[in-house]
Amino acid sequence: MADPTIEALYEESRLFPPPPNVLEGAEVTSREIYERGRDPIAYWEQEASHIQWRTPWTSVLDWSNPPFARWFVDATLNVTESCLDRHAEATPDKVAYYFEGEEGDTRVITYRQLLEDVCRLANGLAQLGVSKGDRVAIYMGMIPEFPMALLACARLGAVHSVVFGGFSADALADRINDAQASVVITCDQSRRKGQTIDLKRITDQALERCPSVHHVVVVERTGADVPMTTGRDVRYHDLVADQPAERPATETSSEDPLYILYTSGTTGKPKGIVHTTGGYLVGVSSTHRLVFDLRPDDVYWCTADIGWVTGHSYIVYGPLANGTTSVLYEGVPDYPDRDRYWAIIEKYRVTQLYTAPTSIRTFMKWGDEYPGRHDLSSLRVIGTVGEPINPEAWMWYREVIGQNRCPVVDTWWQTETGAMVIAPIPTVTPTKPGSATIPLPGYQADIVDDNGESVPLGGGGYLVLTHPWPSMARTIFGDPQRYIDTYWARFSDREHNVWRYFAGDGAKRDNDGYFWLLGRVDDVMNVSGHRISTLEVESALVDHPAVAEAAVIGRADPITGQAIAAFVTLRAGIVGDDALLAALRDHVAERIGKIARPASIVFTDELPKTRSGKIMRRLLRDISEQRQLGDVTTLANADVVAEIAARAQAQQ
Ligand code: WTA
């Protein structure tokens, strides 16, 4: 953690108070809200008044069986009534989504239409036998039917399990099997950068080993001729054609599961993070309103994919619960040209942009010319999420995109937290480039050392959350013990009933109490904001017949944050040439998905190991990041280091 760039980041002293133009007409302008947040129970109870309940809770939090929390105990609701019905009634013609297809095709979907389409699909799914508690896998591109699919499940009280549309057939099959999904919703193809991805074909391949699935719903996106399995597959348009546009929402308890979303952990097996209904909706809607200074006429745009938690919480549930008008964009930032995002902002007069550091760094590299072509004056608040943002990128974002008018909200949170945790309130909190600032009201965070002792201001260690929060993950699907072991065991003190959630991130806190996130401290890489475990990639590599042993690390990369660097020893008699290198990269993409394809692979006769036989990953990282190597003489095979270093350098 004594990385020099991190030290530099921590020395950052620029402070930006909320710009005056943002304060005008803002709802929250006083620090008093932080005072209120010091009593999380009272705070979240008040925030809960913004969503629609059927029956009220008997208590706000039940923490009698930690770390398994229950929020808004005994309350009932259906999240779609908060997200759809009440807006369809009050403001039926308000736009829920401006859909912008990659090819320039558009659709405008009002709250009334969204409710009707969701009800039709819910009716269709019910006809296919889906009912409360059933799991439905969703594997789609970014088109309006994607959020509709999530909401249709929620309407029925069914549990959706979205699998990012860039994952491979294997990854899809593993997730379907873990959740025991009975239905899959997919599209014929998705569009990306002028190309198409055969989602239906990949689904078919996955389903060869998914016996739990009895139906597949296929949304037509490109109209490609895709094979349909009789009796199993049904076209979306046929399914919904004759369905009524109404469907009473199924009543769920506050603690019924809303969804499962898989995320990489430190083992090869992804974790099915479970979120429930009441607390989750309170958390996402409240933070969305506060951190984006949300106002009724805003046009908000989150560029994430609904395949990730950012899309679940801040494209679907948070914004819809708040009755927001959002942009939903299908494609990539550089299609047809590198100004596509800025063209979209100008076209729809976007007021809030929420994107990722990796994109911001890419835009920076492309140059100011592209945003310069467009009128970005509609923007009011600009946000970032997914990985640490370096002060340079933060400043560029503020100056070039925000034109020094828009506060930058750097939001730290995770799939497991469900909602933002550490982030500024743009109308209240002064910001510092590179810091996510301080915990939002209602949250309590701390930094602890290896012994779990709180580290005083000015120090660094592990980020922990010390009080439960409403949108927290409730468990890992089918594996509550892993939930305890992964997040709670390390820094909790059962004997004294002290519970601390360990996020897996390192952080420092400066003398003003501002948090500086330093990245993962476990074997999880963060590549362009996507979590990938080193072990998953290693397993994919050794699964190739040419590979004997593999070690994978995330090395610092100026654009993607981290890049996947692999070190591979081959089986006897196999030659590590360029063709094999390409084949191995493809093999990983095939096993996991393109996001996991190693940026570099170094063939070596041996991996550096300690005398007890442990692979020295830290040393490999030092080599990859071209740091001065320390004493390696304790290694069992010190002589391999120089050779690996030379080859690694040649590859980068
Ligand atoms: C990292 C995405 C620094 C962090 C919402 C976390 C961040 C992981 C930030 C969660 C940020 C996310 N600053 N690091 N603003 N936001 N991270 O589950 O390491 O895909 O643990 O959730 O991303 O990634 P996940």
Side-chain angles (χ1 to χ4, degrees):
M1 256 187 254
D3 185 304
T5 55
I6 285 164
E7 292 300 331
L9 194 148
Y10 182 53
E11 294 301 311
E12 178 62 59
S13 60
R14 282 171 288 194
L15 189 72
F16 295 96
N21 56 296
V22 181
L23 297 178
E24 220 172 285
E27 200 180 304
V28 179
T29 52
S30 151
R31 292 193 72 84
E32 184 268 335
I33 189 166
Y34 284 113
E35 294 304 319
R36 208 153 59 69
R38 280 187 226 292
D39 179 350
I41 304 295
Y43 179 81
W44 291 116
E45 182 159 38
Q46 196 168 342
E47 291 306 291
S49 66
H50 291 274
I51 71 168
Q52 184 103 34
W53 302 85
R54 286 205 185 169
T55 49
W57 47 92
T58 52
S59 66
V60 176
L61 169 65
D62 172 8
W63 192 233
S64 61
N65 179 32
F68 300 98
R70 297 199 303 146
W71 280 86
F72 304 106
V73 182
D74 299 324
T76 64
L77 74 162
N78 181 293
V79 296
T80 65
E81 291 182 336
S82 288
C83 294
L84 301 173
D85 301 65
R86 60 176 174 167
H87 309 306
E89 195 176 315
T91 51
D93 299 323
K94 183 168 181 180
V95 174
Y97 291 115
Y98 285 114
F99 170 69
E100 171 94 4
E102 200 183 62
E103 299 291 336
D105 51 319
T106 59
R107 280 163 70 184
V108 178
I109 297 157
T110 65
Y111 272 94
R112 187 213 321 252
Q113 289 167 339
L114 187 61
L115 172 64
E116 290 178 358
D117 282 340
V118 166
C119 286
R120 285 192 194 94
L121 179 54
N123 284 322
L125 292 175
Q127 196 176 303
L128 297 180
V130 175
S131 64
K132 187 172 168 178
D134 292 351
R135 271 83 57 212
V136 174
I138 302 175
Y139 183 63
M140 292 182 73
M142 284 285 289
I143 55 175
E145 288 78 8
F146 198 171
M148 286 173 196
L150 275 65
L151 294 160
C153 292
R155 192 79 176 170
L156 299 171
V159 181
H160 56 74
S161 169
V162 173
V163 180
F164 171 59
F167 275 125
S168 67
D170 275 330
L172 175 60
D174 289 345
R175 286 158 179 74
I176 289 172
N177 287 335
D178 187 80
Q180 288 292 293
S182 55
V183 169
V184 181
I185 308 176
T186 186
C187 354
D188 50 4
Q189 295 180 315
S190 61
R191 288 189 195 281
R192 197 187 147 78
K193 209 168 177 175
Q195 311 269 309
T196 52
I197 303 169
D198 294 324
L199 294 188
K200 175 59 164 64
R201 186 187 56 76
I202 299 170
T203 303
D204 284 340
Q205 208 181 320
L207 293 189
E208 285 171 17
R209 58 178 183 92
C210 298
S212 61
V213 174
H214 54 76
H215 285 295
V216 179
V217 179
V218 185
V219 180
E220 184 178 281
R221 173 55 182 141
T222 62
D225 188 19
V226 293
M228 298 288 283
T229 303
T230 316
R232 186 193 72 180
D233 300 353
V234 39
R235 285 181 199 281
Y236 169 87
H237 292 278
D238 297 337
L239 182 68
V240 300
D242 299 320
Q243 301 293 348
E246 286 125 49
R247 167 104 199 166
T250 301
E251 187 165 277
T252 60
S253 112
S254 188
E255 285 300 333
D256 279 333
L258 174 61
Y259 67 79
I260 304 170
L261 185 59
Y262 288 84
T263 187
S264 290
T266 50
T267 73
K269 188 175 186 291
K271 301 173 285 196
I273 300 300
V274 176
H275 283 292
T276 58
T277 65
Y280 175 77
L281 200 66
V282 171
V284 297
S285 61
S286 160
T287 49
H288 178 251
R289 221 169 30 245
L290 190 61
V291 174
F292 288 111
D293 173 34
L294 196 70
R295 306 184 193 185
D297 296 328
D298 282 343
V299 179
Y300 157 89
W301 181 25
C302 168
T303 66
D305 191 293
I306 296 173
W308 307 111
V309 74
T310 305
H312 282 58
S313 297
Y314 297 107
I315 296 179
V316 184
Y317 292 111
L320 293 177
N322 290 329
T324 311
T325 296
S326 295
V327 170
L328 184 74
Y329 173 54
E330 180 179 35
V332 297
D334 53 344
Y335 187 85
D337 200 355
R338 290 175 168 178
D339 66 343
R340 188 65 187 272
Y341 275 18
W342 323 121
I344 290 174
I345 289 170
E346 176 173 359
K347 176 175 176 185
Y348 294 102
R349 306 292 300 155
V350 169
T351 45
Q352 291 100 340
L353 175 69
Y354 194 23
T355 192
T358 190
S359 308
I360 296 166
R361 290 190 292 261
T362 306
F363 299 142
M364 240 175 110
K365 190 180 76 178
W366 288 344
D368 298 4
E369 172 205 342
Y370 298 100
R373 286 182 192 168
H374 297 279
D375 176 7
L376 305 181
S377 63
S378 58
L379 288 173
R380 201 174 70 247
V381 180
I382 53 178
T384 151
V385 60
E387 50 178 320
I389 180 164
N390 46 312
E392 195 193 356
W394 194 100
M395 285 305 297
W396 182 88
Y397 196 32
R398 184 185 152 89
E399 285 169 2
V400 179
I401 305 307
Q403 300 173 339
N404 293 313
R405 271 182 300 105
C406 308
V408 173
V409 289
D410 173 10
T411 63
W412 179 89
W413 59 291
Q414 314 174 288
T415 305
E416 295 86 342
T417 67
M420 299 168 188
V421 176
I422 302 177
I425 302 170
T427 48
V428 175
T429 323
T431 53
K432 302 184 186 188
S435 168
T437 73
I438 57 176
L440 287 165
Y443 291 99
Q444 291 173 1
D446 198 1
I447 291 178
V448 296
D449 63 19
D450 278 309
N451 303 319
E453 299 291 336
S454 181
V455 174
L457 295 191
Y462 306 100
L463 177 64
V464 293
L465 302 183
T466 54
H467 191 283
W469 63 101
S471 63
M472 66 199 290
R474 296 301 193 262
T475 189
I476 291 175
F477 188 75
D479 201 348
Q481 189 59 43
R482 191 174 176 199
Y483 175 72
I484 299 173
D485 295 345
T486 309
Y487 303 110
W488 299 91
R490 182 144 177 208
F491 293 117
S492 297
D493 177 359
R494 259 172 199 272
E495 213 176 298
H496 299 93
N497 203 27
V498 173
W499 293 89
R500 290 194 186 115
Y501 169 85
F502 173 44
D505 280 29
K508 283 197 167 195
R509 205 164 26 175
D510 66 19
N511 291 322
D512 298 331
Y514 275 49
F515 287 74
W516 299 80
L517 278 307
L518 306 177
R520 305 286 311 183
V521 292
D522 53 15
D523 292 329
V524 176
M525 298 173 286
N526 189 328
V527 181
S528 300
H530 304 321
R531 279 163 68 171
I532 301 163
S533 95
T534 54
L535 209 98
E536 254 177 301
V537 180
E538 286 171 5
S539 325
L541 284 167
V542 294
D543 166 74
H544 190 281
V547 175
E549 202 173 24
V552 167
I553 54 121
R555 76 168 134 82
D557 182 277
I559 299 293
T560 59
Q562 286 191 316
I564 303 177
F567 298 83
V568 165
T569 64
L570 298 172
R571 286 181 190 276
I574 293 178
V575 181
D577 54 12
D578 285 352
L580 181 59
L581 200 140
L584 290 183
R585 296 179 73 226
D586 286 348
H587 183 74
V588 175
E590 188 67 27
R591 278 277 172 273
I592 305 172
K594 280 188 185 155
I595 53 167
R597 198 196 289 259
S600 59
I601 298 179
V602 171
F603 295 121
T604 169
D605 296 335
E606 270 180 83
L607 293 169
K609 287 184 184 165
T610 60
R611 289 180 199 272
S612 60
K614 274 180 82 169
I615 298 175
M616 290 287 291
R617 288 194 178 69
R618 184 146 29 104
L619 183 67
L620 292 172
R621 197 170 305 127
D622 287 343
I623 291 174
S624 302
E625 294 173 355
Q626 295 172 23
R627 260 192 297 280
Q628 195 73 43
L629 301 182
D631 183 12
V632 295
T633 49
T634 53
L635 290 187
N637 49 358
D639 48 320
V640 302
V641 174
E643 178 208 313
I644 295 177
R647 293 193 190 176
Q649 206 129 31
Q651 275 249 334
Q652 283 174 35

